[in-house]
Amino acid sequence: MAFRRTLAAATLALTTACATTSQVKPVPVATTEAPAPAPAPVAETKKERDLRETFAQAVAAFDAGDYAKAEEGFREVVAKAPQSLNAQFNLGVIAERQGRPADAQAAYEKVRFLEPGHVPTLLNLGRLYRVQEKYEEAIALYEAGLKVKGREHEASLLNNLTVAYRLAGKHEQAEATARRVLARHPDDAEAYKNLALVYYDQGKYRLAELVLANARKLDEKDPGIYNNLGMIYLKLEDRPRALAQFQKAVSLDERFAPGYLNLGAMALAWRDYAGAERSFSKAVELEPGSSEAWLYYAYALDGQKGRDAKKGLAAGEAFEKVLSLRAEQPEALCGAGWAYAVERAGWDKAEGFLQRCKDLGSTSAQDKQLIDSKLQGIAAMRKSGQPEAAPEEKAPHPAAVGGSGSMLDKVSDEAAPQEGAPAEGAAPAEGGVAAPVDGAAASPEQSGPAAEPPAETPKAE
């Protein structure tokens, strides 16, 4: 079937954990946004107390996973105190958590307009650009941030700039930027991680392994380091050792998405579709805005449709999620058609997606014939009132990296976007997580709202 060819061509890439990441948590309020202290203490007004309480309640709601309530609270703060960078920034964090990248970007742009050198915003916005493969935009963003007075040597920005250079294929600039960080901060583990990934991209696996050993000495609890070691061992065809590293990564941080992506990729390579489903379901839970995670999750579900037609329908829904994040993505478009074709309940959607797949310029003449045959078969089944027969074989799935597959160049962004430095008080971003974590060794992502009053600006972690 056409989908078989599509999957065979789209080899699954494992994800590296970037050395740097962005803010995925709310930012606590810092004092940089507040005016200079008055000569004598000034009593807090009722309005200020009310805003502080509203802000605190929104942070608590965020921590409890009630994003709707948290968003409502932060919007109220922004409406009454437009100068609150923390509240506006946290609206961006919430949008990211909910898989609304466009809304997140809009929120971050507002903060950047008010304060061009706001590091947490630069990190998160840069990560969004990188996820969209807008590497030049990310590079320009970080370079602009470094030109802001007082930010010339900001390690988180430099680390993320390293990641952006690397993803853009500018390895010479990436290596020079990583070394620039180490020259000033010799104990910066993120810089070592980023430098290792530069060597990894150039096929210098043993050198990358050696550099990561230095990073591990500095931070033995960083899951991104083990994730990236796993990527190296896959390239060296030592799969048992690679698997152990990925497992170590998620054991250190159960929210480390790159590790789950790579475990899922290895499961797909072994045709363990149920195991792949478990790993990728965790990945999409952690990264609802990742089209790659949803695509591989769909592959895992599709691989089980021969025994359970409902898995095929679920795969179709997952492919549709990919399309909501990346319109007209070929593999998702064709995959949805073949997945929905498994059962009568999905025929209406299958016909539409298969026709769109057929109209793609990249669809071969042979695949078009297969699509025509499937459409004719569905029509015949409708006419006879008989159920569609279950597929005789499963569509092949992409091979995991390490063999002939390609790598899902993702930073441990959460490791890569750092990829952005986190705001003060915020928990570290995927500390360099993502299949392989690609990304600059920057500060952690912010995962939640800022923790203090609206009037102050959050500090970067």
Side-chain angles (χ1 to χ4, degrees):
M1 27 188 350
F3 186 39
R4 296 185 58 183
R5 298 172 184 281
T6 300
L7 290 179
T11 54
L12 184 66
L14 292 189
T15 304
T16 51
C18 281
T20 46
T21 172
S22 58
Q23 302 290 331
V24 182
K25 299 183 179 180
V27 180
V29 178
T31 57
T32 57
E33 188 178 315
V42 177
E44 187 176 46
T45 66
K46 182 178 186 303
K47 178 182 177 180
E48 291 171 337
R49 286 196 301 274
D50 290 345
L51 285 177
R52 184 181 294 277
E53 183 178 350
T54 299
F55 189 92
Q57 291 175 345
V59 172
F62 180 95
D63 290 339
D66 189 345
Y67 299 138
K69 184 176 181 180
E71 181 176 4
E72 180 181 355
F74 290 128
R75 287 196 182 284
E76 181 179 345
V77 172
V78 171
K80 296 179 180 179
Q83 78 279 13
S84 175
L85 300 186
N86 280 346
Q88 184 63 60
F89 174 85
N90 291 341
L91 287 173
V93 172
I94 291 173
E96 281 202 75
R97 282 291 187 92
Q98 296 180 322
R100 297 183 286 117
D103 291 339
Q105 182 171 333
Y108 294 143
E109 289 288 7
K110 290 180 181 178
V111 178
R112 188 184 177 210
F113 176 78
L114 294 171
E115 187 179 319
H118 191 257
V119 176
T121 292
L122 294 174
L123 294 180
N124 284 13
L125 186 56
R127 182 185 59 74
L128 288 177
Y129 285 149
R130 282 166 28 205
V131 168
Q132 299 173 60
E133 298 181 0
K134 297 179 179 179
Y135 305 131
E136 293 303 327
E137 286 89 334
I139 289 172
L141 179 73
Y142 299 137
E143 290 181 337
L146 288 164
K147 292 178 181 178
V148 174
K149 186 176 180 180
R151 302 297 189 194
E152 300 87 347
H153 304 292
E154 177 65 47
S156 61
L157 290 177
L158 287 169
N159 279 327
N160 283 291
L161 178 57
T162 301
V163 174
Y165 276 141
R166 172 183 160 259
L167 294 178
K170 299 180 178 181
H171 296 110
E172 184 175 343
Q173 293 97 316
E175 180 175 353
T177 304
R179 291 188 179 284
R180 177 180 167 186
V181 177
L182 292 171
R184 196 176 187 89
H185 307 285
D187 293 333
D188 192 315
E190 293 300 318
Y192 279 114
K193 287 166 60 179
N194 287 331
L195 183 58
L197 288 175
V198 172
Y199 293 141
Y200 172 92
D201 283 356
Q202 299 176 80
K204 302 174 182 179
Y205 306 126
R206 289 302 183 188
L207 180 56
E209 179 184 21
L210 179 63
V211 173
L212 280 175
N214 290 328
R216 185 170 53 190
K217 291 177 182 177
L218 295 170
D219 189 353
E220 296 182 349
K221 299 297 184 179
D222 184 343
I225 293 173
Y226 300 95
N227 182 81
N228 292 352
L229 281 171
M231 293 300 303
I232 291 172
Y233 296 138
L234 276 179
K235 287 296 187 180
L236 295 174
E237 298 186 359
D238 190 343
R239 290 179 179 272
R241 197 174 182 185
L243 177 61
Q245 297 302 312
F246 296 143
Q247 292 174 332
K248 173 72 172 181
V250 297
S251 71
L252 288 171
D253 182 357
E254 61 180 10
R255 296 188 60 79
F256 187 78
Y260 291 108
L261 283 170
N262 288 339
L263 287 172
M266 294 193 76
L268 276 185
W270 294 328
R271 307 235 170 191
D272 174 9
Y273 300 118
E277 178 188 353
R278 287 192 294 273
S279 292
F280 289 130
S281 65
K282 184 67 175 178
V284 297
E285 174 189 336
L286 296 171
E287 292 189 342
S290 170
S291 61
E292 290 86 356
W294 281 103
L295 182 62
Y296 299 135
Y297 179 48
Y299 288 153
L301 292 167
D302 189 83
Q304 303 173 70
K305 69 183 181 186
R307 295 182 180 179
D308 184 351
K310 291 183 178 180
K311 293 288 186 180
L313 297 180
E317 293 176 355
F319 283 123
E320 284 199 80
K321 179 63 177 179
V322 176
L323 294 171
S324 72
L325 296 168
R326 296 187 66 180
E328 301 304 302
Q329 211 271 4
E331 288 83 358
L333 196 61
C334 298
W338 289 108
Y340 278 129
V342 73
E343 188 176 85
R344 178 180 292 276
W347 287 354
D348 288 342
K349 287 189 172 183
E351 290 171 325
F353 282 117
L354 287 173
Q355 186 59 55
R356 289 166 64 186
C357 176
K358 179 182 174 182
D359 294 339
L360 291 174
S362 57
T363 301
S364 68
Q366 183 177 358
D367 287 342
K368 291 180 180 180
Q369 292 179 353
L370 290 172
I371 291 174
D372 284 336
S373 295
K374 173 56 69 175
L375 292 174
Q376 291 169 9
I378 291 177
M381 290 297 116
R382 284 184 186 282
K383 186 174 181 179
S384 66
Q386 297 180 14
E388 170 78 331
E392 295 182 359
E393 56 181 346
K394 303 172 185 175
H397 297 283
V401 172
S404 59
S406 62
M407 178 182 79
L408 252 198
D409 206 5
K410 239 185 198 184
V411 177
S412 166
D413 220 28
E414 279 234 348
Q418 248 194 345
E419 294 191 336
E424 265 189 25
E430 299 168 271
V433 192
V437 179
D438 112 42
S443 52
E445 294 186 350
Q446 295 213 238
S447 47
E452 289 193 84
E456 304 177 5
T457 305
K459 298 178 181 178
E461 287 185 279

